[in-house]
Amino acid sequence: MAKFRIVPEVKNPVKLMDAKITLDDISMDQVIDQVTLSSDEELELGQLVKAKVLLKGPNRLLVEVSGVFTGLITGNELQDAEGTFQKISEGDEFDAVVIAQENEDGQYTLSIRRAAQERSWIDFQAAYENNEVITVVADEANKGGLLLDINGIKGFIPVSQLSPVNYPRVNNADQDAILDRLGVLVGKEFEVRILTINKSEGKLIFSERKAEEERRGKALETLKVGQAVSGVVSGIVDFGIFVTFEGLEGLVHISEIAWSKVNNPHDFAKEGDKVEVLIIGLEEGKISLSIKRLTPDPWIEAAQNLEVGKTVKGKVSRLTQFGAFLSVNEHIDGLIHLSEISHSQVRNPGDFISVGEEYEAKVISLDLESHRLGLSLKALMPAPEGSEEAPKKRAPRVKKADKKSTEKKVEKKEESKEA
């Protein structure tokens, strides 16, 4: 973690002047009137200098620079993120920047705020060049990301640069919902790397994702498919549930939430819930999770009594363009394909069967791994006469007579004619 440090650059140094000022029982104005210093040297605008407190008032400071120059700091120029004005006392030294030349009373106008900005730019540049991770605090949110103010320097963390844990998971990229989610992050500390820095344009863009790359990479290396972990629900969308654990985030797809059909993930969890999940996929940094696989599969248990060739009963639960589904028990719906509804051609299942009605069907296929049960109604019906599926009658077979038998028949026939 980067620690900011002050690197003052004092130009045109001069010798300290032995000047004593008595502050007891006199006002700031009286002190200013009494302090008259002169030098052939001058302070430059924008110069970063060391200032020593001569007198501290409620909203201004009288200071000396290099023991020769006097300066005045008032108003907003007293404030910085470190609270320097609140911490210093008479006799203390601190950094300030010259923002105006000598006035008619011979005082320069200085700024603590600008000095903090200069130090911050120096530290930001060093952090950028060294690819260091620094800590910042979000001050405000808009629909594009988080805004920061560091000693008057404006910074920005785009939504796309937030870590998976803080990324606003909302349906249909709802802008108002995104803003609500980002608003919760205001006041929170973020560990970031600097993506872009341009002092002249006042441009400072941060990335939380980049700061976590190394740590996330190391954490991912410790994960294995088949590993169960404890996590917290960090977001719920139409297609699944996001879960964070050990600083990482994975997705429980809607198909992996429960063994039963899931229409709305919100019915199964809410943000902040603690959950147990199973890692079922690790691909290109994406973590796929499952909740249902940590519980027994009721489909397989319910299918133990099923086998190909067996007759089952059930009610039609729904019709589709390609057939109908028959509920044979609480957990299993079998498919009756169009081609298995009737011996005649079926274009619309509704012409032959109705939702809610009970039917008998024959099991014609069973795939436990894929949870697929194939059923047939027509297999329990006799095929109509003349159809391709009806038993074919064989024509009587004419037995071929042997040669001797044929010759004897011919001889007897001829003998009868002669007689």
Side-chain angles (χ1 to χ4, degrees), residues 124 134-138 148 150 157 188-192 206:
F124 286 142
I134 62 175
T135 301
V136 296
V137 177
L148 305 93
I150 305 120
I157 307 176
K188 180 179 177 180
E189 287 189 347
F190 292 85
E191 292 186 356
V192 296
F206 300 102

Side-chain angles (χ1 to χ4, degrees), residues 34 77 91 112 127 136 148 173 190 194 219 233 244 249 254 288-289 319 322-323 333 345 353 363 378 391:
Q34 291 180 31
E77 303 304 328
I112 293 176
V136 296
L148 305 93
F190 292 85
I194 300 172
V233 175
T244 60
E249 185 178 60
I254 190 170
S288 298
L289 306 172
L319 302 177
F322 51 84
D333 280 6
Q345 187 177 29
I353 52 181
V363 177
K378 75 177 187 181

Side-chain angles (χ1 to χ4, degrees), residues 120-275:
S120 295
W121 277 118
I122 292 170
D123 292 325
F124 286 142
Q125 187 64 43
Y128 176 72
E129 293 173 357
N130 297 320
N131 198 31
E132 294 179 1
V133 174
I134 62 175
T135 301
V136 296
V137 177
D139 295 291
E140 190 179 345
N142 62 25
K143 294 176 181 179
L146 297 172
L147 305 172
L148 305 93
D149 188 318
I150 305 120
N151 289 319
I153 301 173
K154 302 298 181 183
F156 186 57
I157 307 176
V159 169
S160 61
Q161 294 302 320
L162 289 171
S163 69
V165 173
N166 290 318
Y167 189 88
R169 307 291 183 183
V170 299
N171 291 316
N172 305 317
D174 186 317
Q175 295 296 304
D176 291 333
I178 288 176
L179 185 57
D180 288 342
R181 294 295 299 272
L182 292 176
V184 176
L185 302 177
V186 173
K188 180 179 177 180
E189 287 189 347
F190 292 85
E191 292 186 356
V192 296
R193 278 194 169 98
I194 300 172
L195 278 185
T196 305
I197 182 170
N198 190 319
K199 182 180 178 182
S200 61
E201 296 180 4
K203 193 173 185 180
L204 197 57
I205 299 177
F206 300 102
S207 173
E208 186 185 25
R209 291 179 65 91
K210 290 291 184 182
E212 290 194 350
E213 277 183 350
E214 184 176 351
R215 181 196 57 76
R216 178 178 169 82
K218 290 181 179 178
L220 282 170
E221 290 176 359
T222 66
L223 301 182
K224 295 180 180 179
V225 172
Q227 178 181 349
V229 295
S230 299
V232 176
V233 175
S234 56
I236 304 176
V237 292
D238 291 340
F239 55 85
I241 297 172
F242 287 93
V243 176
T244 60
F245 60 97
E246 299 174 7
L248 302 173
E249 185 178 60
L251 172 66
V252 182
H253 189 265
I254 190 170
S255 61
E256 291 293 334
I257 294 175
W259 291 112
S260 58
K261 183 176 177 57
V262 177
N263 293 314
N264 185 358
H266 286 87
D267 294 337
F268 292 82
K270 62 180 183 296
E271 289 187 29
D273 283 353
K274 294 181 179 179
V275 292

Side-chain angles (χ1 to χ4, degrees), residues 32 171 224 327 396 409:
I32 293 174
N171 291 316
K224 295 180 180 179
S327 294
K409 287 182 180 179

Side-chain angles (χ1 to χ4, degrees), residues 259 296-304 306 329 331-334 366-373:
W259 291 112
D297 184 351
W299 202 99
I300 293 179
E301 184 178 349
Q304 295 304 312
L306 299 175
N329 59 46
H331 300 289
I332 298 178
D333 280 6
L366 179 62
D367 187 338
L368 296 177
E369 185 176 346
S370 300
H371 289 191
R372 290 180 180 176
L373 174 66

